[in-house]
């Protein structure tokens, strides 16, 4: 990330609008969800491995139980029972340590989160990055709406093509059984068959559009937002340990406090490094996502426009040319159902 973006990270004081009176505040659903997120990310206590990691983070190390040795294993001839007891005791101690660290981390993050929400604390803000993140979330919501409508259009049009197919068969049957109206029923049957054929072609184009938008929204955008969630968790942890360090720094400087201060400084630096790495990752992903979005949507909007326009203008040749232009292949004619996208 450039120095310009990094320098914009600042610690902002959130004003207290309620003067500490929480009784008149409306229920904050987002606060409850955030607290649930804090509590859900519990430690991994699997019997065969011990995972070292904090709230909301990924596992940083797995220690196989086979490498844990008890203090009694140095004896010349330890009994199998005693050796087993020492291994179990070692596992139990390390698991307890993991739960303890997770509990402390969860407490600090929960305290920081509540402090921020009620205006009694400060949070680190990267205005440029958070503006981009909010824009991404808004864009994703709008694209989800387009995707929902495009799917509805596809379903409705599929039903129309099915009806046209059945109507064409009915006209063809009546043409054979009604000599006095054979010609009239005949050309109506041909018209419906042609409409059905063109409808199948349009369905292929629209379904290709739907598939591409779905990939963009639910895979590409969602992948970036997963990194954003990790970044937001790291930001909360960073501020929690920053606040803890600041509080200890203002206290007395006796031997006990100095020891705790050194530990707090080490933990703060660790969370700061994690926060800055994830902030850089998010900035890079947002940049590449924007480039990819423009490329994908330019192609898909051109396809959608050309296919819809050619179909409703009755230009069969232009409709088929549109599918060739975008390398869309349909199923072979004669399928029981109208053709859908097979491959791209």
């Amino acid at each position: 990330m450039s120095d310009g973006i990094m320098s914009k990270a600042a610690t902002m004081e959130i004003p207290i609008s309620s003067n500490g009176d929480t009784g008149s505040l409306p229920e904050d659903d987002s606060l409850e969800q955030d607290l649930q997120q804090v509590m859900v990310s519990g430690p991994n206590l699997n019997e065969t491995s011990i995972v070292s990691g904090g709230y909301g983070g990924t596992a940083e190390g797995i220690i196989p139980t086979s490498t844990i040795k008890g203090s009694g294993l140095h004896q010349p001839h330890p009994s199998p029972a005693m050796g087993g007891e020492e291994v179990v005791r070692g596992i139990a101690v390390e698991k307890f340590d993991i739960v303890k660290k997770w509990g402390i981390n969860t407490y600090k993050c929960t305290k920081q989160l509540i402090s921020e929400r009620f205006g009694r604390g400060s949070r680190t803000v990267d205005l440029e990055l958070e503006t981009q993140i909010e824009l991404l979330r808004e864009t994703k919501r709008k694209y989800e709406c387009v995707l929902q409508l495009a799917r509805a259009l596809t379903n409705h049009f599929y039903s129309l093509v099915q009806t046209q197919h059945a109507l064409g068969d009915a006209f063809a049957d009546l043409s054979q059984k009604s000599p006095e109206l054979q010609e009239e029923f005949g050309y109506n049957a041909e018209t419906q068959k042609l409409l059905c054929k063109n409808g199948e072609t349009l369905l292929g184009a629209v379904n290709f559009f739907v598939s591409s938008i779905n990939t963009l929204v639910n895979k590409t955008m969602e992948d970036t937002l997963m990194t954003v969630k990790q970044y937001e968790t790291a930001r909360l942890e960073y501020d929690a340990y920053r606040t803890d360090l600041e509080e200890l720094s203002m206290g007395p400087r006796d031997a006990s406090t100095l020891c705790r201060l050194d530990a707090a400084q080490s933990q703060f630096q660790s969370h700061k490094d994690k926060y800055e790495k994830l902030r850089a990752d998010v900035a890079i992903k947002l940049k590449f996502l924007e480039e990819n979005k423009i490329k994908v949507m330019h192609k898909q909007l051109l396809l959608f426009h050309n296919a819809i326009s050619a179909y409703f203008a009755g230009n069969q040749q232009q409709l088929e040319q549109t599918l060739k232009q975008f390398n869309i292949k349909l199923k072979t004619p004669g399928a029981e159902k109208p053709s859908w996208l097979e491959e791209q």
Side-chain angles (χ1 to χ4, degrees):
M1 177 181 292
S2 66
D3 293 337
I5 295 177
M6 290 292 290
S7 64
K8 290 186 179 180
T11 301
M12 298 177 59
E13 290 291 335
I14 303 176
I16 304 176
S17 58
S18 63
N19 295 322
D21 181 10
T22 60
S24 60
L25 290 176
E27 292 186 5
D28 191 340
D29 292 337
S30 60
L31 174 59
E32 182 179 351
Q33 292 172 0
D34 288 339
L35 287 173
Q36 289 176 349
Q37 181 183 358
V38 171
M39 298 307 298
V40 163
S41 304
N44 185 339
L45 299 181
N46 188 281
E47 285 295 333
T48 58
S49 65
I50 297 178
V51 178
S52 175
Y55 136 72
T58 56
E60 297 178 356
I62 298 178
I63 307 173
T65 54
S66 59
T67 64
I68 301 176
K69 298 180 180 180
S71 59
L73 296 182
H74 69 279
Q75 298 176 359
H77 301 288
S79 67
M82 286 299 295
E85 289 177 1
E86 293 295 336
V87 171
V88 171
R89 186 177 296 111
I91 295 174
V93 168
E94 296 220 18
K95 285 185 176 181
F96 175 77
D97 187 53
I98 292 170
V99 173
K100 180 181 177 182
K101 289 180 180 178
W102 173 80
I104 293 172
N105 190 73
T106 301
Y107 167 74
K108 291 182 186 294
C109 292
T110 303
K111 178 183 175 183
Q112 175 67 24
L113 182 64
I114 294 175
S115 178
E116 290 176 7
R117 290 301 175 89
F118 290 102
R120 303 191 185 98
S122 61
R123 66 184 295 263
T124 302
V125 179
D126 186 326
L127 292 175
E128 182 176 345
L129 191 62
E130 294 195 12
T131 298
Q132 293 176 9
I133 290 172
E134 185 54 37
L135 180 60
L136 169 59
R137 287 186 168 128
E138 181 182 356
T139 299
K140 185 172 183 285
R141 286 192 293 268
K142 291 180 178 179
Y143 275 42
E144 285 172 339
C145 181
V146 169
L147 180 60
Q148 182 181 9
L149 292 171
R151 281 174 169 158
L153 175 65
T154 304
N155 291 332
H156 295 323
F157 200 77
Y158 175 83
S159 298
L160 172 63
V161 173
Q162 285 279 69
T163 303
Q164 289 174 330
H165 189 278
L167 187 58
D169 288 344
F171 281 150
D173 181 62
L174 286 168
S175 176
Q176 295 177 357
K177 297 179 180 178
S178 307
E180 68 284 0
L181 295 172
Q182 182 177 9
E183 184 177 350
E184 289 83 351
F185 277 125
Y187 59 65
N188 271 283
E190 291 300 320
T191 299
Q192 293 302 317
K193 288 180 181 179
L194 178 61
L195 289 172
C196 186
K197 181 177 182 295
N198 291 344
E200 291 181 5
T201 305
L202 179 60
L203 273 173
V206 175
N207 197 60
F208 183 81
F209 175 84
V210 168
S211 176
S212 298
I213 303 303
N214 180 64
T215 299
L216 178 63
V217 171
N218 293 315
K219 291 185 179 179
T220 311
M221 289 184 178
E222 187 61 31
D223 174 72
T224 301
L225 286 174
M226 288 298 295
T227 304
V228 167
K229 289 178 182 178
Q230 293 172 2
Y231 157 74
E232 291 173 338
T233 295
R235 197 282 307 163
L236 181 65
E237 290 179 333
Y238 164 69
D239 278 334
Y241 283 88
R242 174 184 57 78
T243 301
D244 188 49
L245 179 61
E246 290 172 354
E247 291 175 353
L248 283 173
S249 299
M250 292 185 294
R253 295 301 180 94
D254 53 32
S256 174
T257 303
L258 288 174
C259 181
R260 292 172 57 198
L261 193 59
D262 288 342
Q265 178 65 48
S266 176
Q267 291 175 331
F268 164 74
Q269 188 61 47
S270 174
H271 286 289
K272 180 182 178 182
D273 293 342
K274 179 181 177 182
Y275 163 70
E276 291 181 345
K277 179 184 181 301
L278 281 166
R279 181 170 61 179
D281 290 346
V282 169
I284 292 172
K285 283 202 171 188
L286 286 171
K287 179 178 180 293
F288 283 117
L289 174 61
E290 183 65 17
E291 294 174 355
N292 185 55
K293 182 192 74 175
I294 293 173
K295 181 180 178 181
V296 169
M297 292 308 297
H298 174 77
K299 175 181 178 179
Q300 295 305 318
L301 291 171
L302 185 62
L303 161 69
F304 192 83
H305 173 270
N306 289 353
I308 292 286
S309 299
Y311 174 82
F312 284 100
N315 192 334
Q316 181 181 358
Q317 183 179 0
Q318 182 62 41
L319 181 59
E320 293 175 350
Q321 184 61 37
T322 298
L323 266 68
K324 290 180 182 178
Q325 178 185 351
F326 292 94
N327 298 318
I328 302 173
K329 297 179 182 179
L330 301 177
K331 293 180 181 179
T332 55
E336 293 183 2
K337 297 181 179 181
S339 304
W340 289 75
L341 174 68
E342 185 175 83
E343 60 182 349
Q344 62 184 58

